[in-house]
PDB file of all heavy atoms in Angstrom:
ATOM      1  N   ALA A 407     188.174  79.876 138.732  1.00  0.00           N
ATOM      2  CA  ALA A 407     188.716  80.386 140.049  1.00  0.00           C
ATOM      3  C   ALA A 407     187.727  80.838 140.992  1.00  0.00           C
ATOM      4  O   ALA A 407     187.753  80.676 142.266  1.00  0.00           O
ATOM      5  CB  ALA A 407     189.525  81.735 139.661  1.00  0.00           C
ATOM      6  N   ILE A 408     186.543  81.344 140.555  1.00  0.00           N
ATOM      7  CA  ILE A 408     185.419  81.554 141.384  1.00  0.00           C
ATOM      8  C   ILE A 408     184.844  80.358 142.086  1.00  0.00           C
ATOM      9  O   ILE A 408     184.572  80.379 143.335  1.00  0.00           O
ATOM     10  CB  ILE A 408     184.306  82.435 140.672  1.00  0.00           C
ATOM     11  CG1 ILE A 408     184.764  83.777 140.230  1.00  0.00           C
ATOM     12  CG2 ILE A 408     183.041  82.553 141.517  1.00  0.00           C
ATOM     13  CD1 ILE A 408     183.737  84.570 139.416  1.00  0.00           C
ATOM     14  N   LEU A 409     184.686  79.314 141.388  1.00  0.00           N
ATOM     15  CA  LEU A 409     184.268  78.071 141.949  1.00  0.00           C
ATOM     16  C   LEU A 409     185.182  77.556 142.868  1.00  0.00           C
ATOM     17  O   LEU A 409     184.753  77.062 144.026  1.00  0.00           O
ATOM     18  CB  LEU A 409     183.882  77.047 140.766  1.00  0.00           C
ATOM     19  CG  LEU A 409     182.855  77.351 139.792  1.00  0.00           C
ATOM     20  CD1 LEU A 409     182.923  76.218 138.609  1.00  0.00           C
ATOM     21  CD2 LEU A 409     181.514  77.209 140.436  1.00  0.00           C
ATOM     22  N   LYS A 410     186.427  77.623 142.590  1.00  0.00           N
ATOM     23  CA  LYS A 410     187.437  77.126 143.578  1.00  0.00           C
ATOM     24  C   LYS A 410     187.505  77.998 144.789  1.00  0.00           C
ATOM     25  O   LYS A 410     187.760  77.460 145.929  1.00  0.00           O
ATOM     26  CB  LYS A 410     188.894  77.146 142.835  1.00  0.00           C
ATOM     27  CG  LYS A 410     188.954  76.373 141.673  1.00  0.00           C
ATOM     28  CD  LYS A 410     189.070  74.797 141.982  1.00  0.00           C
ATOM     29  CE  LYS A 410     190.462  74.541 142.290  1.00  0.00           C
ATOM     30  NZ  LYS A 410     190.701  73.047 142.397  1.00  0.00           N
ATOM     31  N   LYS A 411     187.237  79.366 144.639  1.00  0.00           N
ATOM     32  CA  LYS A 411     187.187  80.235 145.793  1.00  0.00           C
ATOM     33  C   LYS A 411     186.187  79.842 146.814  1.00  0.00           C
ATOM     34  O   LYS A 411     186.358  79.911 147.926  1.00  0.00           O
ATOM     35  CB  LYS A 411     186.827  81.562 145.259  1.00  0.00           C
ATOM     36  CG  LYS A 411     186.695  82.670 146.307  1.00  0.00           C
ATOM     37  CD  LYS A 411     186.388  84.061 145.725  1.00  0.00           C
ATOM     38  CE  LYS A 411     185.872  85.072 146.674  1.00  0.00           C
ATOM     39  NZ  LYS A 411     185.636  86.364 146.029  1.00  0.00           N
ATOM     40  N   TYR A 412     185.011  79.393 146.274  1.00  0.00           N
ATOM     41  CA  TYR A 412     183.885  78.996 147.197  1.00  0.00           C
ATOM     42  C   TYR A 412     183.974  77.587 147.466  1.00  0.00           C
ATOM     43  O   TYR A 412     182.940  77.082 148.129  1.00  0.00           O
ATOM     44  CB  TYR A 412     182.675  79.288 146.611  1.00  0.00           C
ATOM     45  CG  TYR A 412     182.225  80.912 146.609  1.00  0.00           C
ATOM     46  CD1 TYR A 412     182.859  81.703 145.641  1.00  0.00           C
ATOM     47  CD2 TYR A 412     181.687  81.395 147.752  1.00  0.00           C
ATOM     48  CE1 TYR A 412     182.645  83.003 145.705  1.00  0.00           C
ATOM     49  CE2 TYR A 412     181.568  82.840 147.743  1.00  0.00           C
ATOM     50  CZ  TYR A 412     181.969  83.719 146.728  1.00  0.00           C
ATOM     51  OH  TYR A 412     181.779  85.051 146.864  1.00  0.00           O
ATOM     52  N   GLY A 413     185.022  76.868 147.266  1.00  0.00           N
ATOM     53  CA  GLY A 413     185.186  75.384 147.683  1.00  0.00           C
ATOM     54  C   GLY A 413     184.296  74.490 146.881  1.00  0.00           C
ATOM     55  O   GLY A 413     183.941  73.367 147.353  1.00  0.00           O
ATOM     56  N   LEU A 414     183.957  74.813 145.660  1.00  0.00           N
ATOM     57  CA  LEU A 414     183.211  73.911 144.806  1.00  0.00           C
ATOM     58  C   LEU A 414     184.062  73.316 143.814  1.00  0.00           C
ATOM     59  O   LEU A 414     184.957  73.859 143.201  1.00  0.00           O
ATOM     60  CB  LEU A 414     182.068  74.727 144.154  1.00  0.00           C
ATOM     61  CG  LEU A 414     181.059  75.371 145.094  1.00  0.00           C
ATOM     62  CD1 LEU A 414     180.189  76.409 144.450  1.00  0.00           C
ATOM     63  CD2 LEU A 414     180.228  74.299 145.641  1.00  0.00           C
ATOM     64  N   PRO A 415     183.677  72.127 143.381  1.00  0.00           N
ATOM     65  CA  PRO A 415     184.625  71.250 142.497  1.00  0.00           C
ATOM     66  C   PRO A 415     184.095  71.471 140.956  1.00  0.00           C
ATOM     67  O   PRO A 415     183.023  71.023 140.581  1.00  0.00           O
ATOM     68  CB  PRO A 415     184.332  69.776 142.886  1.00  0.00           C
ATOM     69  CG  PRO A 415     182.868  69.905 143.483  1.00  0.00           C
ATOM     70  CD  PRO A 415     182.737  71.270 144.072  1.00  0.00           C
ATOM     71  N   PRO A 416     185.000  72.160 140.146  1.00  0.00           N
ATOM     72  CA  PRO A 416     184.602  72.385 138.818  1.00  0.00           C
ATOM     73  C   PRO A 416     184.666  71.068 137.961  1.00  0.00           C
ATOM     74  O   PRO A 416     185.643  70.319 138.010  1.00  0.00           O
ATOM     75  CB  PRO A 416     185.736  73.380 138.366  1.00  0.00           C
ATOM     76  CG  PRO A 416     186.376  73.856 139.646  1.00  0.00           C
ATOM     77  CD  PRO A 416     186.258  72.812 140.539  1.00  0.00           C
ATOM     78  N   ALA A 417     183.704  71.063 137.136  1.00  0.00           N
ATOM     79  CA  ALA A 417     183.684  69.973 136.179  1.00  0.00           C
ATOM     80  C   ALA A 417     183.568  70.424 134.738  1.00  0.00           C
ATOM     81  O   ALA A 417     182.628  71.295 134.555  1.00  0.00           O
ATOM     82  CB  ALA A 417     182.447  68.950 136.420  1.00  0.00           C
ATOM     83  N   VAL A 418     184.447  70.228 133.872  1.00  0.00           N
ATOM     84  CA  VAL A 418     184.404  70.833 132.614  1.00  0.00           C
ATOM     85  C   VAL A 418     184.151  69.760 131.450  1.00  0.00           C
ATOM     86  O   VAL A 418     184.930  68.817 131.378  1.00  0.00           O
ATOM     87  CB  VAL A 418     185.798  71.526 132.323  1.00  0.00           C
ATOM     88  CG1 VAL A 418     185.778  72.050 130.850  1.00  0.00           C
ATOM     89  CG2 VAL A 418     186.009  72.671 133.304  1.00  0.00           C
ATOM     90  N   LEU A 419     183.097  70.021 130.751  1.00  0.00           N
ATOM     91  CA  LEU A 419     182.769  69.149 129.611  1.00  0.00           C
ATOM     92  C   LEU A 419     183.018  70.147 128.410  1.00  0.00           C
ATOM     93  O   LEU A 419     182.257  71.033 128.350  1.00  0.00           O
ATOM     94  CB  LEU A 419     181.374  68.600 129.630  1.00  0.00           C
ATOM     95  CG  LEU A 419     181.239  67.505 130.689  1.00  0.00           C
ATOM     96  CD1 LEU A 419     180.977  68.087 132.023  1.00  0.00           C
ATOM     97  CD2 LEU A 419     179.948  66.640 130.388  1.00  0.00           C
ATOM     98  N   THR A 420     183.780  69.809 127.408  1.00  0.00           N
ATOM     99  CA  THR A 420     184.224  70.653 126.374  1.00  0.00           C
ATOM    100  C   THR A 420     184.642  69.972 125.157  1.00  0.00           C
ATOM    101  O   THR A 420     184.919  68.643 125.211  1.00  0.00           O
ATOM    102  CB  THR A 420     185.447  71.423 126.821  1.00  0.00           C
ATOM    103  OG1 THR A 420     185.987  72.261 125.820  1.00  0.00           O
ATOM    104  CG2 THR A 420     186.508  70.548 127.320  1.00  0.00           C
ATOM    105  N   ASN A 421     184.611  70.644 123.987  1.00  0.00           N
ATOM    106  CA  ASN A 421     185.056  70.062 122.764  1.00  0.00           C
ATOM    107  C   ASN A 421     186.578  70.272 122.639  1.00  0.00           C
ATOM    108  O   ASN A 421     187.203  69.800 121.676  1.00  0.00           O
ATOM    109  CB  ASN A 421     184.336  70.635 121.493  1.00  0.00           C
ATOM    110  CG  ASN A 421     184.457  72.106 121.341  1.00  0.00           C
ATOM    111  OD1 ASN A 421     185.608  72.695 121.723  1.00  0.00           O
ATOM    112  ND2 ASN A 421     183.370  72.726 120.900  1.00  0.00           N
ATOM    113  N   GLY A 422     187.095  70.968 123.626  1.00  0.00           N
ATOM    114  CA  GLY A 422     188.578  71.016 123.675  1.00  0.00           C
ATOM    115  C   GLY A 422     189.190  72.207 122.748  1.00  0.00           C
ATOM    116  O   GLY A 422     190.362  72.500 122.943  1.00  0.00           O
ATOM    117  N   SER A 423     188.362  72.825 122.062  1.00  0.00           N
ATOM    118  CA  SER A 423     188.901  73.857 121.114  1.00  0.00           C
ATOM    119  C   SER A 423     189.667  74.974 121.677  1.00  0.00           C
ATOM    120  O   SER A 423     190.575  75.635 121.176  1.00  0.00           O
ATOM    121  CB  SER A 423     187.901  74.361 120.058  1.00  0.00           C
ATOM    122  OG  SER A 423     186.742  74.979 120.801  1.00  0.00           O
ATOM    123  N   GLY A 424     189.122  75.436 122.949  1.00  0.00           N
ATOM    124  CA  GLY A 424     189.552  76.610 123.742  1.00  0.00           C
ATOM    125  C   GLY A 424     190.385  76.220 124.937  1.00  0.00           C
ATOM    126  O   GLY A 424     190.704  76.970 125.763  1.00  0.00           O
ATOM    127  N   LEU A 425     190.736  74.891 125.053  1.00  0.00           N
ATOM    128  CA  LEU A 425     191.473  74.335 126.318  1.00  0.00           C
ATOM    129  C   LEU A 425     193.005  74.459 125.954  1.00  0.00           C
ATOM    130  O   LEU A 425     193.777  73.557 125.770  1.00  0.00           O
ATOM    131  CB  LEU A 425     191.166  73.025 126.531  1.00  0.00           C
ATOM    132  CG  LEU A 425     191.508  72.449 127.946  1.00  0.00           C
ATOM    133  CD1 LEU A 425     190.839  73.250 129.048  1.00  0.00           C
ATOM    134  CD2 LEU A 425     191.198  71.057 128.108  1.00  0.00           C
ATOM    135  N   THR A 426     193.439  75.796 125.893  1.00  0.00           N
ATOM    136  CA  THR A 426     194.822  76.070 125.352  1.00  0.00           C
ATOM    137  C   THR A 426     195.813  75.687 126.378  1.00  0.00           C
ATOM    138  O   THR A 426     195.562  75.634 127.607  1.00  0.00           O
ATOM    139  CB  THR A 426     194.830  77.484 125.027  1.00  0.00           C
ATOM    140  OG1 THR A 426     194.607  78.341 126.127  1.00  0.00           O
ATOM    141  CG2 THR A 426     193.865  77.824 123.958  1.00  0.00           C
ATOM    142  N   PRO A 427     197.046  75.598 126.064  1.00  0.00           N
ATOM    143  CA  PRO A 427     198.125  75.384 126.995  1.00  0.00           C
ATOM    144  C   PRO A 427     198.177  76.336 128.209  1.00  0.00           C
ATOM    145  O   PRO A 427     198.390  76.013 129.315  1.00  0.00           O
ATOM    146  CB  PRO A 427     199.486  75.290 126.217  1.00  0.00           C
ATOM    147  CG  PRO A 427     198.957  74.830 124.839  1.00  0.00           C
ATOM    148  CD  PRO A 427     197.540  75.402 124.602  1.00  0.00           C
ATOM    149  N   ALA A 428     197.946  77.714 127.878  1.00  0.00           N
ATOM    150  CA  ALA A 428     198.009  78.744 128.790  1.00  0.00           C
ATOM    151  C   ALA A 428     196.846  78.558 129.850  1.00  0.00           C
ATOM    152  O   ALA A 428     197.115  78.758 131.056  1.00  0.00           O
ATOM    153  CB  ALA A 428     197.839  80.078 128.144  1.00  0.00           C
ATOM    154  N   ARG A 429     195.739  78.180 129.341  1.00  0.00           N
ATOM    155  CA  ARG A 429     194.560  77.969 130.249  1.00  0.00           C
ATOM    156  C   ARG A 429     194.850  76.646 131.177  1.00  0.00           C
ATOM    157  O   ARG A 429     194.531  76.681 132.292  1.00  0.00           O
ATOM    158  CB  ARG A 429     193.329  77.798 129.535  1.00  0.00           C
ATOM    159  CG  ARG A 429     192.743  79.119 129.118  1.00  0.00           C
ATOM    160  CD  ARG A 429     191.480  79.004 128.165  1.00  0.00           C
ATOM    161  NE  ARG A 429     190.762  80.213 128.057  1.00  0.00           N
ATOM    162  CZ  ARG A 429     189.618  80.412 127.428  1.00  0.00           C
ATOM    163  NH1 ARG A 429     189.251  79.409 126.653  1.00  0.00           N
ATOM    164  NH2 ARG A 429     189.038  81.591 127.364  1.00  0.00           N
ATOM    165  N   VAL A 430     195.380  75.697 130.481  1.00  0.00           N
ATOM    166  CA  VAL A 430     195.734  74.397 131.199  1.00  0.00           C
ATOM    167  C   VAL A 430     196.642  74.746 132.310  1.00  0.00           C
ATOM    168  O   VAL A 430     196.433  74.303 133.540  1.00  0.00           O
ATOM    169  CB  VAL A 430     196.340  73.492 130.265  1.00  0.00           C
ATOM    170  CG1 VAL A 430     196.875  72.178 131.069  1.00  0.00           C
ATOM    171  CG2 VAL A 430     195.238  72.898 129.283  1.00  0.00           C
ATOM    172  N   ASP A 431     197.790  75.514 132.096  1.00  0.00           N
ATOM    173  CA  ASP A 431     198.754  75.823 133.043  1.00  0.00           C
ATOM    174  C   ASP A 431     198.051  76.632 134.113  1.00  0.00           C
ATOM    175  O   ASP A 431     198.401  76.551 135.482  1.00  0.00           O
ATOM    176  CB  ASP A 431     199.806  76.553 132.472  1.00  0.00           C
ATOM    177  CG  ASP A 431     200.705  75.728 131.555  1.00  0.00           C
ATOM    178  OD1 ASP A 431     200.635  74.556 131.592  1.00  0.00           O
ATOM    179  OD2 ASP A 431     201.477  76.309 130.798  1.00  0.00           O
ATOM    180  N   ALA A 432     197.106  77.533 133.803  1.00  0.00           N
ATOM    181  CA  ALA A 432     196.500  78.394 134.825  1.00  0.00           C
ATOM    182  C   ALA A 432     195.589  77.671 135.711  1.00  0.00           C
ATOM    183  O   ALA A 432     195.670  77.824 137.022  1.00  0.00           O
ATOM    184  CB  ALA A 432     195.657  79.497 134.166  1.00  0.00           C
ATOM    185  N   ILE A 433     194.945  76.627 135.223  1.00  0.00           N
ATOM    186  CA  ILE A 433     194.074  75.800 136.016  1.00  0.00           C
ATOM    187  C   ILE A 433     194.921  74.900 136.958  1.00  0.00           C
ATOM    188  O   ILE A 433     194.627  74.565 137.982  1.00  0.00           O
ATOM    189  CB  ILE A 433     193.097  75.030 135.059  1.00  0.00           C
ATOM    190  CG1 ILE A 433     192.076  76.166 134.460  1.00  0.00           C
ATOM    191  CG2 ILE A 433     192.355  74.040 135.954  1.00  0.00           C
ATOM    192  CD1 ILE A 433     191.238  75.556 133.424  1.00  0.00           C
ATOM    193  N   LEU A 434     195.994  74.366 136.416  1.00  0.00           N
ATOM    194  CA  LEU A 434     196.866  73.537 137.176  1.00  0.00           C
ATOM    195  C   LEU A 434     197.412  74.273 138.316  1.00  0.00           C
ATOM    196  O   LEU A 434     197.634  73.859 139.392  1.00  0.00           O
ATOM    197  CB  LEU A 434     198.149  72.910 136.265  1.00  0.00           C
ATOM    198  CG  LEU A 434     197.764  71.736 135.401  1.00  0.00           C
ATOM    199  CD1 LEU A 434     198.916  71.548 134.343  1.00  0.00           C
ATOM    200  CD2 LEU A 434     197.424  70.451 136.140  1.00  0.00           C
ATOM    201  N   GLY A 435     197.638  75.481 138.219  1.00  0.00           N
ATOM    202  CA  GLY A 435     198.109  76.407 139.231  1.00  0.00           C
ATOM    203  C   GLY A 435     197.062  76.584 140.299  1.00  0.00           C
ATOM    204  O   GLY A 435     197.382  77.093 141.477  1.00  0.00           O
ATOM    205  N   MET A 436     195.888  76.324 140.045  1.00  0.00           N
ATOM    206  CA  MET A 436     194.711  76.291 141.054  1.00  0.00           C
ATOM    207  C   MET A 436     194.554  74.824 141.600  1.00  0.00           C
ATOM    208  O   MET A 436     193.443  74.612 142.150  1.00  0.00           O
ATOM    209  CB  MET A 436     193.346  76.752 140.373  1.00  0.00           C
ATOM    210  CG  MET A 436     193.539  78.113 139.765  1.00  0.00           C
ATOM    211  SD  MET A 436     191.850  78.571 139.048  1.00  0.00           S
ATOM    212  CE  MET A 436     192.309  79.704 137.775  1.00  0.00           C
ATOM    213  N   ASP A 437     195.341  73.929 141.436  1.00  0.00           N
ATOM    214  CA  ASP A 437     195.114  72.504 141.832  1.00  0.00           C
ATOM    215  C   ASP A 437     194.155  71.781 140.955  1.00  0.00           C
ATOM    216  O   ASP A 437     193.660  70.715 141.425  1.00  0.00           O
ATOM    217  CB  ASP A 437     194.816  72.409 143.352  1.00  0.00           C
ATOM    218  CG  ASP A 437     195.915  72.915 144.176  1.00  0.00           C
ATOM    219  OD1 ASP A 437     197.124  72.756 143.815  1.00  0.00           O
ATOM    220  OD2 ASP A 437     195.607  73.631 145.211  1.00  0.00           O
ATOM    221  N   GLY A 438     193.810  72.265 139.768  1.00  0.00           N
ATOM    222  CA  GLY A 438     193.175  71.520 138.778  1.00  0.00           C
ATOM    223  C   GLY A 438     191.674  71.478 138.998  1.00  0.00           C
ATOM    224  O   GLY A 438     191.062  72.049 139.851  1.00  0.00           O
ATOM    225  N   LEU A 439     191.101  70.581 138.209  1.00  0.00           N
ATOM    226  CA  LEU A 439     189.574  70.453 138.055  1.00  0.00           C
ATOM    227  C   LEU A 439     189.246  69.050 138.913  1.00  0.00           C
ATOM    228  O   LEU A 439     189.941  68.301 139.236  1.00  0.00           O
ATOM    229  CB  LEU A 439     189.088  70.343 136.708  1.00  0.00           C
ATOM    230  CG  LEU A 439     189.486  71.450 135.760  1.00  0.00           C
ATOM    231  CD1 LEU A 439     189.187  70.960 134.315  1.00  0.00           C
ATOM    232  CD2 LEU A 439     188.743  72.744 136.191  1.00  0.00           C
ATOM    233  N   LYS A 440     187.981  68.911 139.142  1.00  0.00           N
ATOM    234  CA  LYS A 440     187.469  67.730 139.654  1.00  0.00           C
ATOM    235  C   LYS A 440     187.237  66.630 138.404  1.00  0.00           C
ATOM    236  O   LYS A 440     187.574  65.450 138.727  1.00  0.00           O
ATOM    237  CB  LYS A 440     186.015  67.951 140.271  1.00  0.00           C
ATOM    238  CG  LYS A 440     185.348  66.729 140.801  1.00  0.00           C
ATOM    239  CD  LYS A 440     185.998  66.086 142.090  1.00  0.00           C
ATOM    240  CE  LYS A 440     185.134  64.910 142.609  1.00  0.00           C
ATOM    241  NZ  LYS A 440     185.673  64.373 143.821  1.00  0.00           N
ATOM    242  N   PHE A 441     186.683  67.242 137.421  1.00  0.00           N
ATOM    243  CA  PHE A 441     186.373  66.349 136.279  1.00  0.00           C
ATOM    244  C   PHE A 441     186.603  67.073 134.851  1.00  0.00           C
ATOM    245  O   PHE A 441     186.259  68.239 134.813  1.00  0.00           O
ATOM    246  CB  PHE A 441     184.913  65.932 136.413  1.00  0.00           C
ATOM    247  CG  PHE A 441     184.337  64.960 135.266  1.00  0.00           C
ATOM    248  CD1 PHE A 441     184.684  63.623 135.122  1.00  0.00           C
ATOM    249  CD2 PHE A 441     183.552  65.457 134.347  1.00  0.00           C
ATOM    250  CE1 PHE A 441     184.291  62.866 134.317  1.00  0.00           C
ATOM    251  CE2 PHE A 441     183.000  64.610 133.289  1.00  0.00           C
ATOM    252  CZ  PHE A 441     183.429  63.356 133.271  1.00  0.00           C
ATOM    253  N   LEU A 442     187.071  66.301 133.969  1.00  0.00           N
ATOM    254  CA  LEU A 442     187.292  66.839 132.672  1.00  0.00           C
ATOM    255  C   LEU A 442     186.851  65.782 131.577  1.00  0.00           C
ATOM    256  O   LEU A 442     187.356  64.650 131.698  1.00  0.00           O
ATOM    257  CB  LEU A 442     188.782  67.195 132.446  1.00  0.00           C
ATOM    258  CG  LEU A 442     189.106  67.579 131.032  1.00  0.00           C
ATOM    259  CD1 LEU A 442     188.452  68.998 130.567  1.00  0.00           C
ATOM    260  CD2 LEU A 442     190.576  67.762 130.756  1.00  0.00           C
TER     261      LEU A 442
END
Side-chain angles (χ1 to χ4, degrees):
I408 290 171
L409 293 175
K410 302 282 281 189
K411 171 184 173 181
Y412 286 89
L414 293 169
V418 175
L419 291 79
T420 172
N421 59 37
S423 60
L425 196 64
T426 61
R429 284 174 160 179
V430 170
D431 289 344
I433 294 170
L434 283 169
M436 304 177 205
D437 294 325
L439 306 168
K440 175 73 173 183
F441 178 75
L442 172 66

